[in-house]
Amino acid sequence: QKEVEQNSGPLSVPEGAIASLNCTYSDRGSQSFFWYRQYSGKSPELIMSIYSNGDKEDGRFTAQLNKASQYVSLLIRDSQPSDSATYLCAVLPNAGNNRKLIWGLGTSLGVNP
Amino acid sequence: KAGVTQTPRYLIKTRGQQVTLSCSPISGHRSVSWYQQTPGQGLQFLFEYFSETQRNKGNFPGRFSGRQFSNSRSEMNVSTLELGDSALYLCASSLVPVGSGTPRTQYFGPGTRLTVL
């Protein structure tokens, strides 16, 4: 059973701090990784995708991928109250003809003014 | 470019009834996936359609079915509703199936909130 695990939280950080969200996955051959943000009562929206080991930066967001250790993380710099949301990690396994995204349950983040 | 649209946004049904939900993907997107989201289970994959064919299916009973039309619009049907079917149903579209070749990003619609009484 391919799995994706995230700490459910809630993770609470003060405004301006760095929020660090982690995601581990069980399928070692996974190649594609996605971070989505979901505000309460809304649908998930893509923050970023990452496919190669290392860091990928987009504005205040940085995704970090370590395939050897089978984890992907999301760093949010200068956290704002508007970043308060649930962050979903999704992983695309590598094997099989009809691959589908495997989703974590999400980490709830609260940024305190 | 318009995003993914879903109708209706809210539905209230009673046990035993059936329901049909509709999804229109982003223009040019030919793949549509459906998910059920509940607080305890997170995002659960229902099925994916591409070119009017079901390409992938999750672990849901046969009461859940779907189809895709030639214009890529998709419908999802749930028959004989149960209380446990109360959830947010999300549709996501991508250019081609998520699992085909080069990774493809899914974009979600606003969802349909189904309440079964």
mmCIF file with all atom_site columns, all heavy atoms in Angstrom, chain B residues 33-59:
data_model
loop_
_atom_site.group_PDB
_atom_site.id
_atom_site.type_symbol
_atom_site.label_atom_id
_atom_site.label_alt_id
_atom_site.label_comp_id
_atom_site.label_asym_id
_atom_site.label_entity_id
_atom_site.label_seq_id
_atom_site.pdbx_PDB_ins_code
_atom_site.Cartn_x
_atom_site.Cartn_y
_atom_site.Cartn_z
_atom_site.occupancy
_atom_site.B_iso_or_equiv
_atom_site.pdbx_formal_charge
_atom_site.auth_seq_id
_atom_site.auth_comp_id
_atom_site.auth_asym_id
_atom_site.auth_atom_id
_atom_site.pdbx_PDB_model_num
ATOM 1   N N   . SER B 1 33 ? -10.656 14.182 -13.035 1.00 0.00 ? 33 SER B N   1
ATOM 2   C CA  . SER B 1 33 ? -10.632 13.261 -11.898 1.00 0.00 ? 33 SER B CA  1
ATOM 3   C C   . SER B 1 33 ? -11.642 13.724 -10.865 1.00 0.00 ? 33 SER B C   1
ATOM 4   O O   . SER B 1 33 ? -11.879 14.920 -10.702 1.00 0.00 ? 33 SER B O   1
ATOM 5   C CB  . SER B 1 33 ? -9.241  13.233 -11.252 1.00 0.00 ? 33 SER B CB  1
ATOM 6   O OG  . SER B 1 33 ? -8.278  12.716 -12.136 1.00 0.00 ? 33 SER B OG  1
ATOM 7   N N   . TRP B 1 34 ? -12.198 12.763 -10.161 1.00 0.00 ? 34 TRP B N   1
ATOM 8   C CA  . TRP B 1 34 ? -13.160 13.049 -9.101  1.00 0.00 ? 34 TRP B CA  1
ATOM 9   C C   . TRP B 1 34 ? -12.623 12.541 -7.766  1.00 0.00 ? 34 TRP B C   1
ATOM 10  O O   . TRP B 1 34 ? -12.041 11.457 -7.687  1.00 0.00 ? 34 TRP B O   1
ATOM 11  C CB  . TRP B 1 34 ? -14.496 12.362 -9.388  1.00 0.00 ? 34 TRP B CB  1
ATOM 12  C CG  . TRP B 1 34 ? -15.293 12.966 -10.495 1.00 0.00 ? 34 TRP B CG  1
ATOM 13  C CD1 . TRP B 1 34 ? -15.252 12.642 -11.815 1.00 0.00 ? 34 TRP B CD1 1
ATOM 14  C CD2 . TRP B 1 34 ? -16.268 14.005 -10.370 1.00 0.00 ? 34 TRP B CD2 1
ATOM 15  N NE1 . TRP B 1 34 ? -16.134 13.414 -12.527 1.00 0.00 ? 34 TRP B NE1 1
ATOM 16  C CE2 . TRP B 1 34 ? -16.777 14.260 -11.661 1.00 0.00 ? 34 TRP B CE2 1
ATOM 17  C CE3 . TRP B 1 34 ? -16.779 14.746 -9.301  1.00 0.00 ? 34 TRP B CE3 1
ATOM 18  C CZ2 . TRP B 1 34 ? -17.766 15.220 -11.910 1.00 0.00 ? 34 TRP B CZ2 1
ATOM 19  C CZ3 . TRP B 1 34 ? -17.754 15.691 -9.538  1.00 0.00 ? 34 TRP B CZ3 1
ATOM 20  C CH2 . TRP B 1 34 ? -18.242 15.934 -10.835 1.00 0.00 ? 34 TRP B CH2 1
ATOM 21  N N   . TYR B 1 35 ? -12.852 13.350 -6.729  1.00 0.00 ? 35 TYR B N   1
ATOM 22  C CA  . TYR B 1 35 ? -12.422 12.997 -5.381  1.00 0.00 ? 35 TYR B CA  1
ATOM 23  C C   . TYR B 1 35 ? -13.563 13.229 -4.395  1.00 0.00 ? 35 TYR B C   1
ATOM 24  O O   . TYR B 1 35 ? -14.393 14.122 -4.576  1.00 0.00 ? 35 TYR B O   1
ATOM 25  C CB  . TYR B 1 35 ? -11.250 13.874 -4.923  1.00 0.00 ? 35 TYR B CB  1
ATOM 26  C CG  . TYR B 1 35 ? -9.965  13.681 -5.678  1.00 0.00 ? 35 TYR B CG  1
ATOM 27  C CD1 . TYR B 1 35 ? -9.680  14.432 -6.822  1.00 0.00 ? 35 TYR B CD1 1
ATOM 28  C CD2 . TYR B 1 35 ? -9.011  12.761 -5.242  1.00 0.00 ? 35 TYR B CD2 1
ATOM 29  C CE1 . TYR B 1 35 ? -8.490  14.270 -7.501  1.00 0.00 ? 35 TYR B CE1 1
ATOM 30  C CE2 . TYR B 1 35 ? -7.813  12.598 -5.921  1.00 0.00 ? 35 TYR B CE2 1
ATOM 31  C CZ  . TYR B 1 35 ? -7.566  13.352 -7.046  1.00 0.00 ? 35 TYR B CZ  1
ATOM 32  O OH  . TYR B 1 35 ? -6.380  13.184 -7.715  1.00 0.00 ? 35 TYR B OH  1
ATOM 33  N N   . GLN B 1 36 ? -13.545 12.427 -3.345  1.00 0.00 ? 36 GLN B N   1
ATOM 34  C CA  . GLN B 1 36 ? -14.416 12.663 -2.197  1.00 0.00 ? 36 GLN B CA  1
ATOM 35  C C   . GLN B 1 36 ? -13.544 13.131 -1.049  1.00 0.00 ? 36 GLN B C   1
ATOM 36  O O   . GLN B 1 36 ? -12.503 12.526 -0.778  1.00 0.00 ? 36 GLN B O   1
ATOM 37  C CB  . GLN B 1 36 ? -15.131 11.368 -1.802  1.00 0.00 ? 36 GLN B CB  1
ATOM 38  C CG  . GLN B 1 36 ? -16.091 11.524 -0.634  1.00 0.00 ? 36 GLN B CG  1
ATOM 39  C CD  . GLN B 1 36 ? -16.499 10.183 -0.038  1.00 0.00 ? 36 GLN B CD  1
ATOM 40  O OE1 . GLN B 1 36 ? -15.686 9.471  0.550   1.00 0.00 ? 36 GLN B OE1 1
ATOM 41  N NE2 . GLN B 1 36 ? -17.768 9.826  -0.185  1.00 0.00 ? 36 GLN B NE2 1
ATOM 42  N N   . GLN B 1 37 ? -13.941 14.188 -0.381  1.00 0.00 ? 37 GLN B N   1
ATOM 43  C CA  . GLN B 1 37 ? -13.164 14.675 0.751   1.00 0.00 ? 37 GLN B CA  1
ATOM 44  C C   . GLN B 1 37 ? -14.034 14.747 1.994   1.00 0.00 ? 37 GLN B C   1
ATOM 45  O O   . GLN B 1 37 ? -15.082 15.397 1.998   1.00 0.00 ? 37 GLN B O   1
ATOM 46  C CB  . GLN B 1 37 ? -12.562 16.054 0.468   1.00 0.00 ? 37 GLN B CB  1
ATOM 47  C CG  . GLN B 1 37 ? -11.589 16.493 1.563   1.00 0.00 ? 37 GLN B CG  1
ATOM 48  C CD  . GLN B 1 37 ? -10.910 17.806 1.243   1.00 0.00 ? 37 GLN B CD  1
ATOM 49  O OE1 . GLN B 1 37 ? -11.503 18.711 0.676   1.00 0.00 ? 37 GLN B OE1 1
ATOM 50  N NE2 . GLN B 1 37 ? -9.632  17.912 1.604   1.00 0.00 ? 37 GLN B NE2 1
ATOM 51  N N   . THR B 1 38 ? -13.589 14.051 3.036   1.00 0.00 ? 38 THR B N   1
ATOM 52  C CA  . THR B 1 38 ? -14.240 14.106 4.336   1.00 0.00 ? 38 THR B CA  1
ATOM 53  C C   . THR B 1 38 ? -13.187 14.411 5.381   1.00 0.00 ? 38 THR B C   1
ATOM 54  O O   . THR B 1 38 ? -11.992 14.158 5.161   1.00 0.00 ? 38 THR B O   1
ATOM 55  C CB  . THR B 1 38 ? -14.915 12.762 4.675   1.00 0.00 ? 38 THR B CB  1
ATOM 56  O OG1 . THR B 1 38 ? -13.936 11.717 4.605   1.00 0.00 ? 38 THR B OG1 1
ATOM 57  C CG2 . THR B 1 38 ? -16.050 12.458 3.707   1.00 0.00 ? 38 THR B CG2 1
ATOM 58  N N   . PRO B 1 39 ? -13.593 14.973 6.525   1.00 0.00 ? 39 PRO B N   1
ATOM 59  C CA  . PRO B 1 39 ? -12.608 15.370 7.533   1.00 0.00 ? 39 PRO B CA  1
ATOM 60  C C   . PRO B 1 39 ? -11.718 14.224 7.994   1.00 0.00 ? 39 PRO B C   1
ATOM 61  O O   . PRO B 1 39 ? -10.530 14.394 8.187   1.00 0.00 ? 39 PRO B O   1
ATOM 62  C CB  . PRO B 1 39 ? -13.475 15.900 8.677   1.00 0.00 ? 39 PRO B CB  1
ATOM 63  C CG  . PRO B 1 39 ? -14.722 16.370 8.012   1.00 0.00 ? 39 PRO B CG  1
ATOM 64  C CD  . PRO B 1 39 ? -14.946 15.408 6.884   1.00 0.00 ? 39 PRO B CD  1
ATOM 65  N N   . GLY B 1 40 ? -12.255 13.042 8.125   1.00 0.00 ? 40 GLY B N   1
ATOM 66  C CA  . GLY B 1 40 ? -11.471 11.940 8.658   1.00 0.00 ? 40 GLY B CA  1
ATOM 67  C C   . GLY B 1 40 ? -10.645 11.198 7.629   1.00 0.00 ? 40 GLY B C   1
ATOM 68  O O   . GLY B 1 40 ? -9.591  10.654 7.943   1.00 0.00 ? 40 GLY B O   1
ATOM 69  N N   . GLN B 1 41 ? -11.083 11.190 6.389   1.00 0.00 ? 41 GLN B N   1
ATOM 70  C CA  . GLN B 1 41 ? -10.438 10.387 5.353   1.00 0.00 ? 41 GLN B CA  1
ATOM 71  C C   . GLN B 1 41 ? -9.611  11.195 4.377   1.00 0.00 ? 41 GLN B C   1
ATOM 72  O O   . GLN B 1 41 ? -8.881  10.633 3.555   1.00 0.00 ? 41 GLN B O   1
ATOM 73  C CB  . GLN B 1 41 ? -11.498 9.599  4.564   1.00 0.00 ? 41 GLN B CB  1
ATOM 74  C CG  . GLN B 1 41 ? -12.291 8.605  5.408   1.00 0.00 ? 41 GLN B CG  1
ATOM 75  C CD  . GLN B 1 41 ? -11.410 7.516  5.961   1.00 0.00 ? 41 GLN B CD  1
ATOM 76  O OE1 . GLN B 1 41 ? -10.552 6.979  5.274   1.00 0.00 ? 41 GLN B OE1 1
ATOM 77  N NE2 . GLN B 1 41 ? -11.594 7.191  7.234   1.00 0.00 ? 41 GLN B NE2 1
ATOM 78  N N   . GLY B 1 42 ? -9.731  12.492 4.421   1.00 0.00 ? 42 GLY B N   1
ATOM 79  C CA  . GLY B 1 42 ? -8.961  13.297 3.473   1.00 0.00 ? 42 GLY B CA  1
ATOM 80  C C   . GLY B 1 42 ? -9.499  13.140 2.061   1.00 0.00 ? 42 GLY B C   1
ATOM 81  O O   . GLY B 1 42 ? -10.667 12.822 1.836   1.00 0.00 ? 42 GLY B O   1
ATOM 82  N N   . LEU B 1 43 ? -8.608  13.342 1.102   1.00 0.00 ? 43 LEU B N   1
ATOM 83  C CA  . LEU B 1 43 ? -8.981  13.244 -0.311  1.00 0.00 ? 43 LEU B CA  1
ATOM 84  C C   . LEU B 1 43 ? -8.941  11.789 -0.751  1.00 0.00 ? 43 LEU B C   1
ATOM 85  O O   . LEU B 1 43 ? -7.886  11.162 -0.757  1.00 0.00 ? 43 LEU B O   1
ATOM 86  C CB  . LEU B 1 43 ? -8.024  14.062 -1.173  1.00 0.00 ? 43 LEU B CB  1
ATOM 87  C CG  . LEU B 1 43 ? -8.358  15.511 -1.416  1.00 0.00 ? 43 LEU B CG  1
ATOM 88  C CD1 . LEU B 1 43 ? -7.172  16.217 -2.058  1.00 0.00 ? 43 LEU B CD1 1
ATOM 89  C CD2 . LEU B 1 43 ? -9.570  15.644 -2.307  1.00 0.00 ? 43 LEU B CD2 1
ATOM 90  N N   . GLN B 1 44 ? -10.081 11.278 -1.157  1.00 0.00 ? 44 GLN B N   1
ATOM 91  C CA  . GLN B 1 44 ? -10.162 9.903  -1.634  1.00 0.00 ? 44 GLN B CA  1
ATOM 92  C C   . GLN B 1 44 ? -10.476 9.916  -3.136  1.00 0.00 ? 44 GLN B C   1
ATOM 93  O O   . GLN B 1 44 ? -11.464 10.511 -3.558  1.00 0.00 ? 44 GLN B O   1
ATOM 94  C CB  . GLN B 1 44 ? -11.252 9.133  -0.874  1.00 0.00 ? 44 GLN B CB  1
ATOM 95  C CG  . GLN B 1 44 ? -11.030 9.064  0.633   1.00 0.00 ? 44 GLN B CG  1
ATOM 96  C CD  . GLN B 1 44 ? -9.894  8.152  0.999   1.00 0.00 ? 44 GLN B CD  1
ATOM 97  O OE1 . GLN B 1 44 ? -9.839  7.002  0.586   1.00 0.00 ? 44 GLN B OE1 1
ATOM 98  N NE2 . GLN B 1 44 ? -8.956  8.660  1.792   1.00 0.00 ? 44 GLN B NE2 1
ATOM 99  N N   . PHE B 1 45 ? -9.644  9.243  -3.898  1.00 0.00 ? 45 PHE B N   1
ATOM 100 C CA  . PHE B 1 45 ? -9.796  9.213  -5.348  1.00 0.00 ? 45 PHE B CA  1
ATOM 101 C C   . PHE B 1 45 ? -10.973 8.331  -5.739  1.00 0.00 ? 45 PHE B C   1
ATOM 102 O O   . PHE B 1 45 ? -11.084 7.192  -5.289  1.00 0.00 ? 45 PHE B O   1
ATOM 103 C CB  . PHE B 1 45 ? -8.507  8.686  -5.966  1.00 0.00 ? 45 PHE B CB  1
ATOM 104 C CG  . PHE B 1 45 ? -8.559  8.443  -7.443  1.00 0.00 ? 45 PHE B CG  1
ATOM 105 C CD1 . PHE B 1 45 ? -8.472  9.510  -8.335  1.00 0.00 ? 45 PHE B CD1 1
ATOM 106 C CD2 . PHE B 1 45 ? -8.678  7.165  -7.950  1.00 0.00 ? 45 PHE B CD2 1
ATOM 107 C CE1 . PHE B 1 45 ? -8.493  9.291  -9.695  1.00 0.00 ? 45 PHE B CE1 1
ATOM 108 C CE2 . PHE B 1 45 ? -8.700  6.935  -9.313  1.00 0.00 ? 45 PHE B CE2 1
ATOM 109 C CZ  . PHE B 1 45 ? -8.614  7.994  -10.192 1.00 0.00 ? 45 PHE B CZ  1
ATOM 110 N N   . LEU B 1 46 ? -11.836 8.882  -6.597  1.00 0.00 ? 46 LEU B N   1
ATOM 111 C CA  . LEU B 1 46 ? -12.988 8.120  -7.083  1.00 0.00 ? 46 LEU B CA  1
ATOM 112 C C   . LEU B 1 46 ? -12.698 7.507  -8.444  1.00 0.00 ? 46 LEU B C   1
ATOM 113 O O   . LEU B 1 46 ? -12.738 6.301  -8.614  1.00 0.00 ? 46 LEU B O   1
ATOM 114 C CB  . LEU B 1 46 ? -14.217 9.030  -7.172  1.00 0.00 ? 46 LEU B CB  1
ATOM 115 C CG  . LEU B 1 46 ? -14.925 9.302  -5.854  1.00 0.00 ? 46 LEU B CG  1
ATOM 116 C CD1 . LEU B 1 46 ? -15.687 10.617 -5.902  1.00 0.00 ? 46 LEU B CD1 1
ATOM 117 C CD2 . LEU B 1 46 ? -15.860 8.159  -5.507  1.00 0.00 ? 46 LEU B CD2 1
ATOM 118 N N   . PHE B 1 47 ? -12.457 8.352  -9.434  1.00 0.00 ? 47 PHE B N   1
ATOM 119 C CA  . PHE B 1 47 ? -12.114 7.875  -10.775 1.00 0.00 ? 47 PHE B CA  1
ATOM 120 C C   . PHE B 1 47 ? -11.560 9.021  -11.614 1.00 0.00 ? 47 PHE B C   1
ATOM 121 O O   . PHE B 1 47 ? -11.683 10.186 -11.267 1.00 0.00 ? 47 PHE B O   1
ATOM 122 C CB  . PHE B 1 47 ? -13.304 7.228  -11.513 1.00 0.00 ? 47 PHE B CB  1
ATOM 123 C CG  . PHE B 1 47 ? -14.666 7.661  -11.076 1.00 0.00 ? 47 PHE B CG  1
ATOM 124 C CD1 . PHE B 1 47 ? -15.097 8.959  -11.274 1.00 0.00 ? 47 PHE B CD1 1
ATOM 125 C CD2 . PHE B 1 47 ? -15.525 6.755  -10.460 1.00 0.00 ? 47 PHE B CD2 1
ATOM 126 C CE1 . PHE B 1 47 ? -16.359 9.351  -10.859 1.00 0.00 ? 47 PHE B CE1 1
ATOM 127 C CE2 . PHE B 1 47 ? -16.787 7.136  -10.048 1.00 0.00 ? 47 PHE B CE2 1
ATOM 128 C CZ  . PHE B 1 47 ? -17.203 8.434  -10.251 1.00 0.00 ? 47 PHE B CZ  1
ATOM 129 N N   . GLU B 1 48 ? -10.951 8.610  -12.736 1.00 0.00 ? 48 GLU B N   1
ATOM 130 C CA  . GLU B 1 48 ? -10.391 9.561  -13.690 1.00 0.00 ? 48 GLU B CA  1
ATOM 131 C C   . GLU B 1 48 ? -10.886 9.200  -15.083 1.00 0.00 ? 48 GLU B C   1
ATOM 132 O O   . GLU B 1 48 ? -10.910 8.021  -15.454 1.00 0.00 ? 48 GLU B O   1
ATOM 133 C CB  . GLU B 1 48 ? -8.869  9.533  -13.655 1.00 0.00 ? 48 GLU B CB  1
ATOM 134 C CG  . GLU B 1 48 ? -8.228  10.518 -14.638 1.00 0.00 ? 48 GLU B CG  1
ATOM 135 C CD  . GLU B 1 48 ? -6.707  10.456 -14.598 1.00 0.00 ? 48 GLU B CD  1
ATOM 136 O OE1 . GLU B 1 48 ? -6.149  9.363  -14.418 1.00 0.00 ? 48 GLU B OE1 1
ATOM 137 O OE2 . GLU B 1 48 ? -6.069  11.526 -14.743 1.00 0.00 ? 48 GLU B OE2 1
ATOM 138 N N   . TYR B 1 49 ? -11.284 10.204 -15.832 1.00 0.00 ? 49 TYR B N   1
ATOM 139 C CA  . TYR B 1 49 ? -11.740 10.024 -17.195 1.00 0.00 ? 49 TYR B CA  1
ATOM 140 C C   . TYR B 1 49 ? -10.852 10.789 -18.155 1.00 0.00 ? 49 TYR B C   1
ATOM 141 O O   . TYR B 1 49 ? -10.384 11.898 -17.863 1.00 0.00 ? 49 TYR B O   1
ATOM 142 C CB  . TYR B 1 49 ? -13.183 10.488 -17.351 1.00 0.00 ? 49 TYR B CB  1
ATOM 143 C CG  . TYR B 1 49 ? -14.174 9.519  -16.766 1.00 0.00 ? 49 TYR B CG  1
ATOM 144 C CD1 . TYR B 1 49 ? -14.530 9.598  -15.420 1.00 0.00 ? 49 TYR B CD1 1
ATOM 145 C CD2 . TYR B 1 49 ? -14.713 8.494  -17.534 1.00 0.00 ? 49 TYR B CD2 1
ATOM 146 C CE1 . TYR B 1 49 ? -15.407 8.689  -14.865 1.00 0.00 ? 49 TYR B CE1 1
ATOM 147 C CE2 . TYR B 1 49 ? -15.600 7.582  -16.983 1.00 0.00 ? 49 TYR B CE2 1
ATOM 148 C CZ  . TYR B 1 49 ? -15.935 7.685  -15.645 1.00 0.00 ? 49 TYR B CZ  1
ATOM 149 O OH  . TYR B 1 49 ? -16.796 6.781  -15.093 1.00 0.00 ? 49 TYR B OH  1
ATOM 150 N N   . PHE B 1 50 ? -10.625 10.187 -19.298 1.00 0.00 ? 50 PHE B N   1
ATOM 151 C CA  . PHE B 1 50 ? -9.857  10.811 -20.363 1.00 0.00 ? 50 PHE B CA  1
ATOM 152 C C   . PHE B 1 50 ? -10.412 10.329 -21.685 1.00 0.00 ? 50 PHE B C   1
ATOM 153 O O   . PHE B 1 50 ? -10.582 9.121  -21.881 1.00 0.00 ? 50 PHE B O   1
ATOM 154 C CB  . PHE B 1 50 ? -8.377  10.443 -20.232 1.00 0.00 ? 50 PHE B CB  1
ATOM 155 C CG  . PHE B 1 50 ? -7.513  10.964 -21.336 1.00 0.00 ? 50 PHE B CG  1
ATOM 156 C CD1 . PHE B 1 50 ? -7.274  12.323 -21.467 1.00 0.00 ? 50 PHE B CD1 1
ATOM 157 C CD2 . PHE B 1 50 ? -6.921  10.091 -22.239 1.00 0.00 ? 50 PHE B CD2 1
ATOM 158 C CE1 . PHE B 1 50 ? -6.466  12.815 -22.477 1.00 0.00 ? 50 PHE B CE1 1
ATOM 159 C CE2 . PHE B 1 50 ? -6.111  10.566 -23.243 1.00 0.00 ? 50 PHE B CE2 1
ATOM 160 C CZ  . PHE B 1 50 ? -5.886  11.938 -23.377 1.00 0.00 ? 50 PHE B CZ  1
ATOM 161 N N   . SER B 1 51 ? -10.711 11.265 -22.556 1.00 0.00 ? 51 SER B N   1
ATOM 162 C CA  . SER B 1 51 ? -11.268 10.920 -23.870 1.00 0.00 ? 51 SER B CA  1
ATOM 163 C C   . SER B 1 51 ? -12.465 9.981  -23.740 1.00 0.00 ? 51 SER B C   1
ATOM 164 O O   . SER B 1 51 ? -12.552 8.951  -24.431 1.00 0.00 ? 51 SER B O   1
ATOM 165 C CB  . SER B 1 51 ? -10.191 10.276 -24.757 1.00 0.00 ? 51 SER B CB  1
ATOM 166 O OG  . SER B 1 51 ? -9.192  11.216 -25.053 1.00 0.00 ? 51 SER B OG  1
ATOM 167 N N   . GLU B 1 52 ? -13.347 10.327 -22.837 1.00 0.00 ? 52 GLU B N   1
ATOM 168 C CA  . GLU B 1 52 ? -14.627 9.637  -22.636 1.00 0.00 ? 52 GLU B CA  1
ATOM 169 C C   . GLU B 1 52 ? -14.466 8.223  -22.084 1.00 0.00 ? 52 GLU B C   1
ATOM 170 O O   . GLU B 1 52 ? -15.442 7.462  -22.042 1.00 0.00 ? 52 GLU B O   1
ATOM 171 C CB  . GLU B 1 52 ? -15.439 9.602  -23.935 1.00 0.00 ? 52 GLU B CB  1
ATOM 172 C CG  . GLU B 1 52 ? -15.727 10.978 -24.511 1.00 0.00 ? 52 GLU B CG  1
ATOM 173 C CD  . GLU B 1 52 ? -16.492 10.925 -25.830 1.00 0.00 ? 52 GLU B CD  1
ATOM 174 O OE1 . GLU B 1 52 ? -17.639 10.456 -25.818 1.00 0.00 ? 52 GLU B OE1 1
ATOM 175 O OE2 . GLU B 1 52 ? -15.916 11.332 -26.865 1.00 0.00 ? 52 GLU B OE2 1
ATOM 176 N N   . THR B 1 53 ? -13.272 7.869  -21.627 1.00 0.00 ? 53 THR B N   1
ATOM 177 C CA  . THR B 1 53 ? -13.018 6.531  -21.098 1.00 0.00 ? 53 THR B CA  1
ATOM 178 C C   . THR B 1 53 ? -12.542 6.626  -19.655 1.00 0.00 ? 53 THR B C   1
ATOM 179 O O   . THR B 1 53 ? -11.731 7.492  -19.321 1.00 0.00 ? 53 THR B O   1
ATOM 180 C CB  . THR B 1 53 ? -11.943 5.824  -21.938 1.00 0.00 ? 53 THR B CB  1
ATOM 181 O OG1 . THR B 1 53 ? -12.400 5.731  -23.290 1.00 0.00 ? 53 THR B OG1 1
ATOM 182 C CG2 . THR B 1 53 ? -11.671 4.427  -21.403 1.00 0.00 ? 53 THR B CG2 1
ATOM 183 N N   . GLN B 1 54 ? -13.050 5.747  -18.830 1.00 0.00 ? 54 GLN B N   1
ATOM 184 C CA  . GLN B 1 54 ? -12.564 5.691  -17.456 1.00 0.00 ? 54 GLN B CA  1
ATOM 185 C C   . GLN B 1 54 ? -11.181 5.076  -17.460 1.00 0.00 ? 54 GLN B C   1
ATOM 186 O O   . GLN B 1 54 ? -10.992 3.913  -17.814 1.00 0.00 ? 54 GLN B O   1
ATOM 187 C CB  . GLN B 1 54 ? -13.504 4.860  -16.577 1.00 0.00 ? 54 GLN B CB  1
ATOM 188 C CG  . GLN B 1 54 ? -13.130 4.921  -15.094 1.00 0.00 ? 54 GLN B CG  1
ATOM 189 C CD  . GLN B 1 54 ? -14.068 4.087  -14.228 1.00 0.00 ? 54 GLN B CD  1
ATOM 190 O OE1 . GLN B 1 54 ? -13.837 2.909  -13.997 1.00 0.00 ? 54 GLN B OE1 1
ATOM 191 N NE2 . GLN B 1 54 ? -15.142 4.700  -13.752 1.00 0.00 ? 54 GLN B NE2 1
ATOM 192 N N   . ARG B 1 55 ? -10.226 5.842  -16.987 1.00 0.00 ? 55 ARG B N   1
ATOM 193 C CA  . ARG B 1 55 ? -8.835  5.420  -17.055 1.00 0.00 ? 55 ARG B CA  1
ATOM 194 C C   . ARG B 1 55 ? -8.367  4.788  -15.738 1.00 0.00 ? 55 ARG B C   1
ATOM 195 O O   . ARG B 1 55 ? -7.464  3.953  -15.715 1.00 0.00 ? 55 ARG B O   1
ATOM 196 C CB  . ARG B 1 55 ? -7.965  6.622  -17.386 1.00 0.00 ? 55 ARG B CB  1
ATOM 197 C CG  . ARG B 1 55 ? -6.498  6.354  -17.466 1.00 0.00 ? 55 ARG B CG  1
ATOM 198 C CD  . ARG B 1 55 ? -5.741  7.609  -17.795 1.00 0.00 ? 55 ARG B CD  1
ATOM 199 N NE  . ARG B 1 55 ? -4.322  7.437  -17.636 1.00 0.00 ? 55 ARG B NE  1
ATOM 200 C CZ  . ARG B 1 55 ? -3.514  6.938  -18.564 1.00 0.00 ? 55 ARG B CZ  1
ATOM 201 N NH1 . ARG B 1 55 ? -3.994  6.591  -19.728 1.00 0.00 ? 55 ARG B NH1 1
ATOM 202 N NH2 . ARG B 1 55 ? -2.226  6.800  -18.331 1.00 0.00 ? 55 ARG B NH2 1
ATOM 203 N N   . ASN B 1 56 ? -8.987  5.221  -14.671 1.00 0.00 ? 56 ASN B N   1
ATOM 204 C CA  . ASN B 1 56 ? -8.529  4.775  -13.366 1.00 0.00 ? 56 ASN B CA  1
ATOM 205 C C   . ASN B 1 56 ? -9.708  4.831  -12.407 1.00 0.00 ? 56 ASN B C   1
ATOM 206 O O   . ASN B 1 56 ? -10.610 5.670  -12.577 1.00 0.00 ? 56 ASN B O   1
ATOM 207 C CB  . ASN B 1 56 ? -7.401  5.699  -12.870 1.00 0.00 ? 56 ASN B CB  1
ATOM 208 C CG  . ASN B 1 56 ? -6.358  4.956  -12.095 1.00 0.00 ? 56 ASN B CG  1
ATOM 209 O OD1 . ASN B 1 56 ? -6.609  3.896  -11.547 1.00 0.00 ? 56 ASN B OD1 1
ATOM 210 N ND2 . ASN B 1 56 ? -5.163  5.524  -12.036 1.00 0.00 ? 56 ASN B ND2 1
ATOM 211 N N   . LYS B 1 57 ? -9.681  3.963  -11.408 1.00 0.00 ? 57 LYS B N   1
ATOM 212 C CA  . LYS B 1 57 ? -10.809 3.905  -10.478 1.00 0.00 ? 57 LYS B CA  1
ATOM 213 C C   . LYS B 1 57 ? -10.295 3.661  -9.072  1.00 0.00 ? 57 LYS B C   1
ATOM 214 O O   . LYS B 1 57 ? -9.367  2.866  -8.873  1.00 0.00 ? 57 LYS B O   1
ATOM 215 C CB  . LYS B 1 57 ? -11.765 2.788  -10.894 1.00 0.00 ? 57 LYS B CB  1
ATOM 216 C CG  . LYS B 1 57 ? -13.091 2.777  -10.152 1.00 0.00 ? 57 LYS B CG  1
ATOM 217 C CD  . LYS B 1 57 ? -13.998 1.676  -10.681 1.00 0.00 ? 57 LYS B CD  1
ATOM 218 C CE  . LYS B 1 57 ? -15.404 1.737  -10.095 1.00 0.00 ? 57 LYS B CE  1
ATOM 219 N NZ  . LYS B 1 57 ? -15.447 1.719  -8.636  1.00 0.00 ? 57 LYS B NZ  1
ATOM 220 N N   . GLY B 1 58 ? -10.896 4.309  -8.105  1.00 0.00 ? 58 GLY B N   1
ATOM 221 C CA  . GLY B 1 58 ? -10.541 4.110  -6.708  1.00 0.00 ? 58 GLY B CA  1
ATOM 222 C C   . GLY B 1 58 ? -11.391 3.013  -6.092  1.00 0.00 ? 58 GLY B C   1
ATOM 223 O O   . GLY B 1 58 ? -12.134 2.308  -6.776  1.00 0.00 ? 58 GLY B O   1
ATOM 224 N N   . ASN B 1 59 ? -11.270 2.872  -4.784  1.00 0.00 ? 59 ASN B N   1
ATOM 225 C CA  . ASN B 1 59 ? -11.943 1.798  -4.072  1.00 0.00 ? 59 ASN B CA  1
ATOM 226 C C   . ASN B 1 59 ? -13.288 2.239  -3.510  1.00 0.00 ? 59 ASN B C   1
ATOM 227 O O   . ASN B 1 59 ? -13.475 2.312  -2.292  1.00 0.00 ? 59 ASN B O   1
ATOM 228 C CB  . ASN B 1 59 ? -11.055 1.271  -2.944  1.00 0.00 ? 59 ASN B CB  1
ATOM 229 C CG  . ASN B 1 59 ? -9.771  0.660  -3.475  1.00 0.00 ? 59 ASN B CG  1
ATOM 230 O OD1 . ASN B 1 59 ? -9.779  -0.028 -4.484  1.00 0.00 ? 59 ASN B OD1 1
ATOM 231 N ND2 . ASN B 1 59 ? -8.677  0.924  -2.788  1.00 0.00 ? 59 ASN B ND2 1
#
